[in-house]
């Protein structure tokens, strides 16, 4: 059998800096595939807005690949079944893809594909596409590895691909039907809104695809990064003042290396010191992206389980059923009707646009975890569906960090009242998203802030002071802590969230 390659696109929907594509270009026959998997569509983190965005990314990618002679098949089905069926038509000997740090379903899928490849005698090669290191033994040296990967030369886009004429003809006729629509995929229509009319540069619209990703990157590097560090915290300024690259990184329309190198080049090139200052702050965030993803890679169970096992069972929903009252509080939070205007405004922005800045994400979670005393899993699933940029490693690590279940981080509790005063002193943001405020239609606060917080702190302090909790913290810090931050393992102090957002992650 002559050698032939199948490029399996996953969360890497681009031409540039794509090692599997470049490798396939050396083969006498190559084909590309994207599988829309029922396991993904049915997963509790998936929302029609993700599916819509995916389809919008696939369309231009398909055109770019076709221009270089590589047909991209888009099939719906379980991965091993799709691969099996395709192999009957196109007997590929090599399967090329990027590594994925995903949730349980994609991990299970990858194991099944590995087994299938072994049985079929297909050689499956996976390349890293971020700073996440597979089978990492220890966090020592991780930052150096990250730097080395990010500084390596990007992989050039192949000039063209080869394919036997017969197969090409067959591909172009029978095998390349139109992309499926949302309706074909059983996705409810009308729930995919990404539009935010208030954004003058149209960033609320979050354009999908590789070209759009480059435009967003360059508008940020050229001008929007000016004042980045000042603009991070307020939901009004952050809309344009943050890079807005997260969905592109999550779906891989840009590689992390491309963003890193373009940022370093922009810092080098600009004579504007304020712009350079903003860009350096941004460059640090890119490390965080991979630092947080590495935690899920190293410990996949953090998607379901507390980092600190000594907090197990502390809140309802953690090994126990939610009571009706908990469910009601959760529903009010999800629907943006808690009676706390800043919380409700943020939730409504998120639901309408699929994006929210870091500070306000953290405030929403802090409110669910401390004021409403809810375990992070259910709120985390809800937010995962809302975030267009859902990235499992960042998401679940952050959910736990903001809920105080990592066992090692300083407890960070955000007061929605203080956040409203600090970040929206004129009430512009709140009025935009909660127009009924001040009328009878707006609900009373669903909890008493002061007593809810006092009770939450008491329980957490008590738990953290136990010898078991203290004993566990060292092991968690050893496994997941950043060696770069220079931070000692955090103690049990509760801190109010800082006024400036630079300490947002307090890396652990
Ligand atoms: C509870 C919670 C859940 C989150 N879930 C996600 C998620 O699913 N996907 C996601 O991409 N980000 C997540 N974040 C991190 C952060 O809020 C977003 O990355 C950021 O708001 C995206 O907007 P941006 O691209 O304009 O960010 P910028 O401020 O421009 O940052 C640039 C990039 O750096 C990375 N980054 C920034 N902040 C962080 C951070 N704190 N931790 C890790 N990486 C960071 C992201 O890749 C981001 O795109 C979460 C934060 C919280 C508090």
């Amino acid at each position: 059998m002559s050698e032939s390659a199948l490029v399996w696109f996953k969360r890497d929907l681009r031409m540039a800096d794509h090692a599997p594509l470049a490798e396939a270009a050396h083969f006498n026959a190559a084909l590309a595939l994207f599988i829309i998997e029922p396991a993904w569509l049915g997963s509790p983190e998936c929302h029609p807005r993700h599916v819509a965005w995916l389809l919008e990314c696939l369309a231009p990618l398909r055109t770019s690949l076709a221009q270089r002679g590589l047909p991209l098949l888009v099939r719906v089905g379980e991965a091993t079944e799709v691969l099996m069926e395709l192999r009957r038509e196109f007997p590929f000997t090599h399967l090329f893809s990027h590594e994925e740090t995903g949730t349980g379903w994609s991990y299970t899928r990858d194991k099944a594909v590995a087994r299938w490849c072994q049985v079929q005698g297909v050689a499956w090669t996976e390349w890293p596409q971020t700073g996440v290191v597979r089978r990492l033994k220890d966090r020592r040296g991780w930052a150096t590895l990250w730097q080395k990967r990010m500084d390596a030369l990007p992989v050039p886009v192949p000039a063209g691909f080869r394919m036997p004429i017969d197969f090409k003809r067959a591909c172009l006729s029978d095998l390349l039907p139109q992309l499926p629509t949302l309706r074909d995929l059983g996705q409810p229509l009308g729930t995919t809104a990404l539009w935010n009319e208030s954004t003058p540069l149209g960033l609320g619209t979050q354009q999908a695809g590789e070209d759009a990703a480059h435009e967003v990157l360059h508008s940020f590097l050229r001008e929007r990064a000016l004042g980045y560090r000042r603009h991070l915290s307020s939901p009004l300024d952050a809309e344009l003042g943050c890079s807005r690259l997260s969905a592109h990184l999550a779906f891989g329309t840009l590689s992390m290396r491309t963003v890193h190198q373009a940022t370093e080049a922009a810092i080098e090139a600009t004579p504007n010191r304020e712009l350079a200052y903003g860009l350096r702050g941004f460059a640090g965030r890119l490390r965080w992206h991979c630092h947080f993803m590495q935690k899920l890679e190293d410990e996949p169970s953090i998607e379901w389980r507390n980092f600190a096992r000594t907090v197990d069972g502390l809140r309802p929903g953690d090994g126990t059923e939610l009571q009706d009252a908990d469910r009601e509080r959760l529903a009010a939070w999800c629907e943006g009707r808690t009676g706390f205007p800043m919380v409700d405004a943020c939730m409504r922005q998120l639901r309408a646009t699929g994006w929210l800045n870091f500070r306000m994400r953290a405030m929403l979670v802090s409110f669910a975890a401390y004021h409403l005393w809810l375990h992070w899993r259910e709120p985390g699933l809800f937010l995962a569906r809302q975030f267009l940029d859902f990235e499992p490693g960042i998401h679940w690590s952050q959910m736990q960090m903001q809920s105080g279940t990592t066992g090692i981080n300083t407890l960070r509790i955000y007061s929605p009242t203080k956040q409203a005063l600090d970040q929206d002193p004129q009430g512009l943001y709140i009025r935009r998203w909660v127009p009924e405020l001040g009328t009878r239609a707006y609900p009373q606060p669903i909890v008493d802030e002061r007593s809810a917080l006092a009770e939450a702190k008491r329980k957490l302090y008590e738990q953290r002071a136990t010898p078991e909790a203290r004993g566990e913290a060292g092991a968690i810090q050893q496994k997941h802590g950043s060696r770069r931050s220079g931070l000692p393992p955090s103690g049990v102090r509760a801190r109010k969230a800082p006024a400036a957002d630079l300490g947002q992650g307090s890396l652990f």
Side-chain angles (χ1 to χ4, degrees), residues 330-353:
L330 176 62
W333 179 81
C334 293
E335 289 160 21
R337 49 172 183 83
T338 63
F340 288 81
M342 196 61 169
V343 172
D344 295 340
C346 288
M347 190 58 96
R348 294 179 193 189
Q349 179 196 344
L350 175 60
R351 290 176 65 129
T353 69

Side-chain angles (χ1 to χ4, degrees), residues 228 232 242-246 249 282 285-286 288-289 292 355-358 361-362 365 387 389-391 394-395 398-399 402 504:
Y228 172 69
L232 277 167
C242 283
S243 72
R244 307 300 305 270
L245 286 169
S246 50
L249 289 168
F282 169 71
R285 296 300 192 288
L286 300 178
W288 293 13
H289 172 104
F292 283 100
W355 186 83
L356 192 63
N357 62 324
F358 172 84
R361 294 187 195 202
V365 177
F387 293 154
D389 58 29
F390 172 56
E391 179 61 66
I394 303 178
H395 187 69
Q398 283 287 351
M399 283 304 302
Q402 306 303 336
Q504 58 163 281

